[in-house]
Amino acid sequence: GNSVTQMEGPVTLSEEAFLTINCTYTATGYPSLFWYVQYPGEGLQLLLKATKADDKGSNKGFEATYRKETTSFHLEKGSVQVSDSAVYFCALRDPYNFNKFYFGSGTKLNVKP
Amino acid sequence: ETGVTQSPTHLIKTRGQQVTLRCSSQSGHNTVSWYQQALGQGPQFIFQYYREEENGRGNFPPRFSGLQFPNYSSELNVNALELDDSALYLCASSESILGETQYFGPGTRLLVL
């Protein structure tokens, strides 16, 4: 079956620190992979995505590389800001049932000034 | 361009009651998906509607049902509410049935007492 596993939070960092949030997946075939961000009181927003092995998704200074060999899609940012404080969700799209997306449980990031 | 909107924002019901949640998709989007997000968890796929027909369903019982209207707005109905139905219900729309990018609404928080 399909599933996504994320590192548990909360992750607390100081401003300008380096961020890594780990995500691994289990899937049949080769799914598209996504990172979504959820700010307090808001719905999920797509942060970045990658559709095939070795693709790198990037947006707003965040990056993630689709690693087929390790079935991973870790989120990184070189220098976090207080405004990055949110919950981050890793997700995959079932390659055989396009209507189904599977989300991880989310990782809360707190960035302190 | 209007984003995805949901109503109501909050709702309190008692066990055994029925509830209807509403979603207006983003302009031009003909596909709507509904998700349940329990506290501290990632969203779980309930079902998807495409051009007024259900197009796939997650692991939810039949008391969860939906509708999509000709203007592509949608409803989620839950009958015989249970305490475990307490969650944030998210609606997401996409440009087409193959669209990878989903646009989420802010959600409806349902509390079942």
Side-chain angles (χ1 to χ4, degrees):
Chain A
N2 298 307
S3 66
V4 176
T5 302
Q6 291 181 232
M7 64 186 286
E8 289 198 17
V11 174
T12 301
L13 296 173
S14 297
E15 205 164 25
E16 299 184 3
F18 184 85
L19 168 71
T20 299
I21 300 178
N22 290 337
C23 170
T24 57
Y25 67 89
T26 301
T28 52
Y30 300 104
S32 295
L33 300 174
F34 306 81
W35 277 101
Y36 280 84
V37 58
Q38 187 175 34
Y39 298 103
E42 299 184 14
L44 279 71
Q45 300 175 25
L46 179 65
L47 182 59
L48 53 83
K49 67 179 181 181
T51 57
K52 61 183 188 295
D54 300 325
D55 267 3
K56 178 184 283 188
S58 62
N59 187 25
K60 299 181 182 179
F62 291 89
E63 292 183 340
T65 301
Y66 190 143
R67 300 288 188 198
K68 186 179 69 173
E69 62 277 9
T70 54
T71 61
S72 65
F73 192 55
H74 304 322
L75 182 68
E76 296 181 336
K77 186 175 185 183
S79 176
V80 293
Q81 306 300 311
V82 172
S83 57
D84 294 326
S85 297
V87 181
Y88 292 82
F89 293 92
C90 185
L92 68 82
R93 184 185 196 185
D94 188 324
Y96 300 110
N97 294 289
F98 285 172
N99 53 17
K100 293 186 178 178
F101 287 74
Y102 296 83
F103 287 80
S105 57
T107 302
K108 185 172 184 179
L109 171 65
N110 295 316
V111 181
K112 297 188 173 181
Chain B
E1 184 178 83
T2 306
V4 178
T5 59
Q6 293 185 242
S7 63
T9 55
H10 296 82
L11 204 52
I12 300 175
K13 291 285 189 178
T14 56
R15 198 168 44 181
Q17 285 188 311
Q18 178 266 342
V19 69
T20 298
L21 310 182
R22 295 179 174 82
C23 170
S24 290
S25 59
Q26 190 158 317
S27 177
H29 289 190
N30 60 20
T31 304
V32 174
S33 299
W34 284 92
Y35 292 86
Q36 181 193 66
Q37 185 180 10
L39 199 61
Q41 300 297 314
Q44 289 199 27
F45 175 72
I46 302 175
F47 44 56
Q48 183 185 79
Y49 275 81
Y50 170 66
R51 293 189 174 182
E52 304 177 56
E53 297 286 333
E54 185 179 294
N55 177 55
R57 188 178 187 91
N59 190 26
F60 281 81
R63 60 189 184 83
F64 285 78
S65 63
L67 282 173
Q68 188 180 31
F69 300 99
N71 66 354
Y72 302 135
S73 65
S74 177
E75 286 182 356
L76 164 66
N77 298 291
V78 187
N79 292 322
L81 283 167
E82 300 177 1
L83 298 180
D84 285 348
D85 296 333
S86 296
L88 180 68
Y89 289 85
L90 296 167
C91 164
S93 72
S94 52
E95 287 182 348
S96 74
I97 198 169
L98 297 178
E100 281 196 326
T101 301
Q102 295 187 96
Y103 297 82
F104 283 82
T108 294
R109 186 160 298 282
L110 172 65
L111 177 62
V112 182
L113 301 176

